[in-house]
Amino acid sequence: MIFRRNFLKNSLAAAAGLSLAPELLSASDFAPKKTWTVQQIMDLIMKEGNLSPIPNTVDTLKSGSADQQVTGIITTMFSTATVINEAVKQKANFIIAHEPTFYNHLDNPEWVKNNQVVKKKQELLAKNNITVWRFHDYCHSLRPDAVSFGVAKKVGWESYYKTGSRILTVPPVALGDLVKKLKTALNIKELRVIGDLDQTCAKVALLPGASGGVSHVSVVEAEKPDVLIVGEVSEWETAEYIRDSRLMGGKTALIILGHSVSEEPGMEYFSEWLRPKVGDLKVTHIASGDPFKWL
């Protein structure tokens, strides 16, 4: 009986081109790989993330079909033309993007009538059978919030991060040195800063992305952090508030990272979170990058 079992294993190994010893082989070595549809991946994320449906969410499919079989997954901030073309090269047909595909919050292709760039992008996606799912509201609903935790992790602050809190208490560091740390850790060429570069920062308010002036100012008023770190601002709101605050005795400094680069670490972390949950299906993070050149 044992001889017959080993003979079968050897035969299967030879047929599969494997050089494994018979005792290391099992039926699972020859089982077909699990296939996934887009809908199954989305359902898995909802289940594994313990996420509840959000009414009127922007997290909908922007192209493609929920029934499409997935050949590979790309996570990114923005599904730019570059990211789409790279997905094609990698034979991945499912892009999970944090931000809009068609340049407005609701991804309304008629936001500007007869938008030729939108039409060309739709054609590019359709030509290559790419499905795009926006993963914004649900991404921020993960515990921890994938974006803020991803940034903290990238900067080396995960041990100071508390789920549900925007405040981190980190080892004291001069504002100038903190700027250098953020530039290096997040691969950002230039940062905009309001504050004394020699001032000490320990209490940090971390708000990547574009949560808006009300959110920024509310955190500063309530928490009095040494520094407010944000993705982007309306310059006539947060920046002017911080400037006047400091002129009138306030101590909170401001560091503006940029929207895309401030949330990209979150989608990179999300790819790490998702990868072990989908078996052999390849999950790759492609950074959409900073859209600006600094002159």
Side-chain angles (χ1 to χ4, degrees), residues 30-49:
F30 308 99
K33 292 182 179 180
K34 177 177 175 57
T35 60
W36 299 85
T37 65
V38 166
Q39 187 63 58
Q40 287 173 331
I41 293 294
M42 294 191 295
D43 290 344
L44 174 75
I45 291 168
M46 296 292 289
K47 178 181 177 182
E48 292 292 321

Side-chain angles (χ1 to χ4, degrees), residues 73-172:
I73 298 173
I74 301 296
T75 66
T76 192
M77 261 294 286
F78 289 91
S79 54
T80 65
T82 299
V83 170
I84 294 167
N85 287 325
E86 185 58 34
V88 173
K89 289 180 183 178
Q90 296 196 22
K91 294 179 171 51
N93 63 357
F94 186 24
I95 297 176
I96 302 178
H98 187 63
E99 293 294 15
T101 297
F102 300 120
Y103 323 116
N104 65 94
H105 185 58
L106 298 178
D107 276 301
N108 177 7
E110 297 299 319
W111 178 58
V112 172
K113 299 292 184 182
N114 299 316
N115 189 325
Q116 294 304 303
V117 175
V118 167
K119 290 180 179 179
K120 289 179 180 178
K121 196 169 193 180
Q122 289 174 324
E123 291 169 0
L124 178 64
L125 290 164
K127 174 184 175 182
N128 293 288
N129 297 313
I130 302 290
T131 296
V132 176
W133 179 39
R134 186 173 181 192
F135 187 62
H136 180 273
D137 299 348
Y138 292 121
C139 186
H140 287 298
S141 297
L142 290 171
R143 289 293 177 265
D145 177 320
V147 170
S148 59
F149 180 75
V151 175
K153 183 174 183 290
K154 196 82 170 179
V155 179
W157 287 344
E158 58 263 52
S159 61
Y160 311 114
Y161 183 91
K162 295 180 181 178
T163 298
S165 175
R166 293 174 165 182
I167 301 298
L168 294 82
T169 302
V170 304

Side-chain angles (χ1 to χ4, degrees), residues 103-288:
Y103 323 116
N104 65 94
H105 185 58
L106 298 178
D107 276 301
N108 177 7
E110 297 299 319
W111 178 58
V112 172
K113 299 292 184 182
N114 299 316
N115 189 325
Q116 294 304 303
V117 175
V118 167
K119 290 180 179 179
K120 289 179 180 178
K121 196 169 193 180
Q122 289 174 324
E123 291 169 0
L124 178 64
L125 290 164
K127 174 184 175 182
N128 293 288
N129 297 313
I130 302 290
T131 296
V132 176
W133 179 39
R134 186 173 181 192
F135 187 62
H136 180 273
D137 299 348
Y138 292 121
C139 186
H140 287 298
S141 297
L142 290 171
R143 289 293 177 265
D145 177 320
V147 170
S148 59
F149 180 75
V151 175
K153 183 174 183 290
K154 196 82 170 179
V155 179
W157 287 344
E158 58 263 52
S159 61
Y160 311 114
Y161 183 91
K162 295 180 181 178
T163 298
S165 175
R166 293 174 165 182
I167 301 298
L168 294 82
T169 302
V170 304
V173 58
L175 178 62
D177 291 333
L178 176 56
V179 168
K180 292 176 183 177
K181 178 182 179 70
L182 292 169
K183 288 174 67 176
T184 299
L186 302 178
N187 192 28
I188 302 174
K189 292 182 179 180
E190 302 287 344
L191 295 179
R192 290 186 290 170
V193 181
I194 297 176
D196 177 358
L197 296 182
D198 293 324
Q199 77 178 70
T200 300
C201 298
K203 189 175 184 179
V204 176
L206 180 62
L207 283 73
S211 56
V214 171
S215 179
H216 297 162
V217 173
S218 296
V219 168
V220 175
E221 287 290 319
E223 300 288 349
K224 302 295 188 295
D226 299 317
V227 60
L228 169 66
I229 302 175
V230 302
E232 69 172 75
V233 301
S234 293
E235 293 184 22
W236 50 276
E237 293 180 343
T238 305
E240 291 304 324
Y241 162 80
I242 292 293
R243 175 156 68 170
D244 267 350
S245 170
R246 293 185 64 83
L247 289 172
M248 293 186 289
K251 301 299 182 183
T252 299
L254 174 67
I255 298 176
I256 304 172
L257 303 175
H259 191 145
S260 185
V261 290
S262 78
E263 293 194 295
E264 194 78 67
M267 292 307 289
E268 182 178 4
Y269 165 70
F270 172 67
S271 71
E272 297 169 1
W273 178 91
L274 179 60
R275 200 167 288 129
K277 298 174 174 56
V278 294
D280 295 324
L281 187 62
K282 187 176 180 181
V283 179
T284 305
H285 178 73
I286 300 176
S288 54

Side-chain angles (χ1 to χ4, degrees), residues 20-34:
L20 296 175
E23 59 272 15
L24 298 179
L25 295 173
S26 66
S28 62
D29 293 311
F30 308 99
K33 292 182 179 180
K34 177 177 175 57

